[in-house]
Amino acid sequence: MALGFAASLPSGAAALDIVRVGLIGSGDAELRDSLQANSIVKTLEGKAETTGGDVLAAARSEYARMIEVLYSKGYYSSVVSVLVDGREAALIDPFREPSSVAEVQILVEPGRPFRFGRAQIGPLLDQSPLESGFRTGAPALADVVRETASDAVDDWRGAGYAKATIADQSVLARHATAQLDVDIALSTGPRVTFGEIVIAGETDVREKRVRKIAGIPSGQIYDPEAVAKAASRLRKTGTFKSVQVIEAETVNADGSLDMQINVVDRKPRRIGGGVELSSLDGLTLSGYWLHRNILGGAEQLRVDTEIAQIGGNSGDIDYDLSFRFEKPAAFGADTLLFAEGGLSYSDEPDYIEKQVELTVGLSREFGDRLTGELGIGYSFSRVTDLYVTPNTQRDIQLFSLPFALTYDARDNRLDTKDGYYLKGELTPFYETVQGQTGAHLTFDARAYKALGETKQTVFAGRLQLGQLVGLTSQTAPPDFLFYSGGGGTVRGQPYQSLGVPIAGGTIGGRAFAALSGEVRYAINDTFGLVAFADAGFIGADGFGNGAWHSGAGLGVRYQTPVGPIRLDVAAPVSGNTGSGVQVYVGIGQAF
């Protein structure tokens, strides 16, 4: 007989000093670890505030928890004993609870692992549910039984049988032969279509608009994915704080199934702001005003303002005022109409620009992760060049067709631990003053990988590319040119410090590349550390000839409900564009 224990050293001060989990007659370390990881009592170990009553209540619940774990591993002849200071928890008088408990022992005799004897389920739409391992002779894991039954029901529902369910099930454990016989009978019900869509709840959005945004296709064959997508569309508008899409309990006589959408509005207006600080670029203040459901159809208007480079060394103060209007389900449930524009004043080391711009377009979702956007844009800029033709003004008038594709597979946009993000933008344009055509292209790729079950360490990487074609650096709009340096490209290097050298100064380049890598380590749920390195390239015309610079540093992250607060300290590693230490403070990860 083998007996294995997982133990911790006593703390002395806590009510519950020691919790031991042991196996009798088995040396399966993986099973023991799983039992320990799922133990309720284990969570109370070492906590000074734990009372004897707390421990006893947890110990009584431990029997069911341990049996659940054992069933999931295929053990159906197990014996579980939970000893509270040497006494079986189930036999302790609940009216005479101990005032304190020093030690709990959880002893498990798992017995033989079972295999499936008879394994039957039906009727099946196809054989795919059986791929989970539900067959005679396979390990009789409880999770396999649940998954097989669930998959079989989901297959029928996905084919339009909305009321498919488990009609009957029989499970028999034959202990003498260590076999589990399972018989599951399904009831498919009729194949149904979507019926009437009823709107309920506390909302000021017009019912017609709620139905259009949800996009449930009345009269078509029932599809559970369409139901889930309807709820997702409604949530993405940002108008509703609560969304429920509920199926009627019974099918109508004509074979249709009514759906009820319950929605509750968020508060219609919201204001917010942000602060970002760089030791060289100075202070950036931003704020926004948001109005949800501004026209009664879940439309959204957001106005943003930003004042940048306050007290900075890379130019005078910049000002920006912009807006974005969105109307969901403008041309179909997955197509959003938007209009955006703004006024800006930029005082940079190489130029001063006053600009007004407006873009109208459509954004369409092609799935849960892929989004496409196409617009028609107009912009007018008055630029004062400081180096190209010193202190002379030139006007730039552009008509453009901005196009973008975004694939977002991140698990969390503010603090990503796993996944990746891809975005490509192409903006063909016609410049009317000089009668020239061209295009502006950018690409942004990010990847994230967390290590281990706790995801305490995260590796993050980013690649940025850019190219301007059709215009020279001297005639292009300044915001179509590329620079490197600062918080968005190369930390440790001054803001926009790498460009293309010309007589008296620098201007932006027509080609751009940047690489960033981070290692993020979470100390606990509140604080984290980051080590990072960035590199940037600027080419006058292309990627064949240009200059690189790089920077590296360390950072601290403080978790808040709106995302981590970021503090990065960086210094130059290569290049002659900067010296000394740069400090960056902001909200959210760097990328």
Side-chain angles (χ1 to χ4, degrees), residues 19-36:
V19 176
R20 304 179 189 272
V21 180
L23 292 181
I24 299 174
S26 172
D28 189 340
E30 183 180 347
L31 175 59
R32 186 193 63 197
D33 291 344
S34 183
L35 291 167
Q36 181 173 270

Side-chain angles (χ1 to χ4, degrees), residues 468-485:
L468 174 65
V469 297
L471 293 178
T472 66
S473 297
Q474 289 76 17
T475 60
D479 59 348
F480 273 16
L481 298 175
F482 300 99
Y483 296 84
S484 181

